[in-house]
Amino acid sequence: MRKILVTGGNGLVGSQFVGENYYNLTSKECDLKNISQMDDLFYINDKNTFQTWGAVIHCAAKVGGLGGNMNYKGEFFYDNIMINTNVIESARKYGIEHLVCFLSTCVFPDNVEYPLTEDKIHLGPPHFSNDAYAYSKRMADVQIRAYREQYGLNYKSVIPTNIYGINDNFDIENGHVVPSLIHKCYIARETNTPLMIWGSGKPLREFIYNKDVAKLTEWVLDNYNEDEPIILSTSEEISIKEVVGVIVELMDFKGEVIYDKNKPDGQFRKPSDNSKIKHYLPNFKFTPLYDGLKETIEWFESNYDNIRK
Ligand code: GDP
């Protein structure tokens, strides 16, 4: 049986790879920034057997929403450059033929013709709010292309749009918009205070459910073998204001909703073109946002004491 190493194994995406084929590595077990810890990681049992993983799904990253990206640029750059460089190089060194690496739509240039397609990653500087993170992820793309070319390995990247779902980090200051809003709405409901939204509510995003990302990635691991990354997206834009509306309804919040114009809007929109994944998987059914949010909120409410927040 092929054993697949999943880095970031209990995170938003990594936790969705379940079953005996997977080993979900957590940050407590190995500091991926430290190359000398990789030997122990890449030998499955002990060093005498020389057994390594059948494949690697590399989800581990220092991530955050708009706040985290703006507040911790140095850390976001260093941690991600080190993690990606080490994981990809170690996979090569230990003879692993198949690897999928996670990028993000924020790798794309700020000023670029929409929709975003896989060939536009390096055409200009990313948005200033997340440039450190974006450049570190762009380097993973460069590394993967270089390894494909020099070593002939089947390594590739996926570019998901805004992911949400259970097991997210619900940190209010540094989390992504969906988990932050769910957590803020919960507090506003419990304390009878207004729900504060950052910015104007007008920016548009494309949300994808973490379970869908995992299913698509399983397909990519065994079936996709191109130099260019592949975008994982519904290509359906929705405004932050509409997302707020759904969360408020599902959480039965009756209080006031305030849009705080002193907080940043970030990029206005970043619509992506999902033609490539649609071409390969024309019948794939994405989870509707309403259904995914409902599951996420139910999970959040019943696990409130133990979640990352
Ligand atoms: P981005 O897609 O990389 O910008 O990441 P986010 O998931 O952080 O989404 C940011 C968008 O949601 C921006 O338009 C924010 O203004 C808006 N937003 C509204 N309220 C919040 C909030 O509480 N937290 C975050 N992170 N974003 C919020």
Side-chain angles (χ1 to χ4, degrees):
M1 186 185 62
R2 179 175 67 157
K3 268 283 203 186
I4 301 171
L5 176 68
V6 181
T7 68
N10 65 357
L12 175 61
V13 178
S15 64
Q16 300 310 303
F17 297 99
V18 280
E20 55 176 0
N21 282 7
Y22 293 108
Y23 185 81
N24 298 67
L25 182 79
T26 67
S27 51
K28 288 195 186 72
E29 291 167 81
C30 178
D31 178 4
L32 299 172
K33 298 191 294 300
N34 185 340
I35 190 97
S36 65
Q37 292 191 17
M38 296 288 168
D39 283 351
D40 292 335
L41 175 62
F42 277 85
Y43 292 111
I44 290 185
N45 293 316
D46 67 281
K47 290 188 181 179
N48 301 325
T49 63
F50 290 99
Q51 195 190 353
T52 62
W53 305 98
V56 173
I57 299 179
H58 175 40
C59 308
K62 176 97 177 171
V63 296
L66 184 53
N69 269 291
M70 292 175 74
N71 295 335
Y72 302 108
K73 285 194 179 185
E75 282 176 47
F76 273 53
F77 183 83
Y78 179 81
D79 287 10
N80 287 308
I81 281 279
M82 297 307 285
I83 289 170
N84 296 333
T85 309
N86 288 342
V87 168
I88 297 167
E89 168 60 8
S90 298
R92 178 201 70 79
K93 196 168 119 192
Y94 290 100
I96 292 158
E97 295 282 339
H98 297 263
L99 174 145
V100 179
C101 174
F102 272 79
L103 306 182
S104 147
T105 43
C106 70
V107 300
F108 283 103
D110 183 32
N111 193 354
V112 69
E113 196 177 314
Y114 290 138
L116 303 172
T117 48
E118 288 86 354
D119 56 344
K120 294 180 182 165
I121 298 177
H122 300 279
L123 296 186
H127 192 258
F128 72 91
S129 62
N130 54 27
D131 51 3
Y133 178 80
Y135 276 119
S136 73
K137 287 277 181 180
R138 283 189 191 185
M139 288 307 111
D141 174 57
V142 172
Q143 189 178 5
I144 280 175
R145 287 174 198 251
Y147 281 39
R148 288 177 66 86
E149 196 178 313
Q150 183 177 349
Y151 308 117
L153 295 165
N154 187 346
Y155 290 7
K156 52 254 171 147
S157 314
V158 290
I159 309 182
T161 54
N162 287 52
I163 309 171
Y164 71 99
I166 67 165
N167 273 315
D168 210 341
N169 177 3
F170 290 81
D171 181 306
I172 285 176
E173 282 307 313
N174 299 307
H176 287 106
V177 57
V178 165
S180 298
L181 289 180
I182 291 173
H183 194 180
K184 286 203 277 195
C185 189
Y186 176 87
I187 292 171
R189 189 188 66 197
E190 299 301 305
T191 57
N192 283 317
T193 50
L195 170 58
M196 301 295 290
I197 314 293
W198 293 2
S200 63
K202 289 180 185 152
L204 303 170
R205 294 290 184 273
E206 295 166 343
F207 293 98
I208 183 166
Y209 197 36
N210 60 354
K211 288 184 184 167
D212 295 350
V213 173
K215 281 185 207 152
L216 292 169
T217 304
E218 283 173 335
W219 179 87
V220 167
L221 181 65
D222 286 326
N223 301 289
Y224 183 77
N225 190 5
E226 292 183 24
D227 291 343
E228 264 175 12
I230 183 162
I231 290 174
L232 309 181
S233 167
T234 63
S235 288
E236 285 171 18
E237 284 186 298
I238 178 166
S239 71
I240 299 299
K241 197 169 200 166
E242 287 171 278
V243 177
V244 171
V246 178
I247 291 174
V248 160
E249 181 197 323
L250 287 168
M251 298 189 77
D252 201 24
F253 176 68
K254 306 274 188 246
E256 192 183 359
V257 178
I258 297 175
Y259 287 85
D260 183 354
K261 302 276 164 57
N262 296 318
K263 291 284 192 178
D265 261 342
Q267 266 174 290
F268 178 62
R269 62 191 290 242
K270 32 187 176 176
S272 64
D273 181 343
N274 67 0
S275 306
K276 198 190 259 192
I277 191 79
K278 278 282 190 199
H279 162 78
Y280 282 115
L281 296 172
N283 298 320
F284 187 81
K285 294 265 177 296
F286 288 97
T287 306
L289 183 63
Y290 186 91
D291 299 355
L293 283 177
K294 189 161 184 288
E295 264 183 37
T296 307
I297 289 168
E298 279 166 7
W299 179 87
F300 171 87
E301 300 255 20
S302 39
N303 292 282
Y304 186 76
D305 291 339
N306 304 315
I307 60 175
R308 287 189 289 158
K309 56 183 183 288

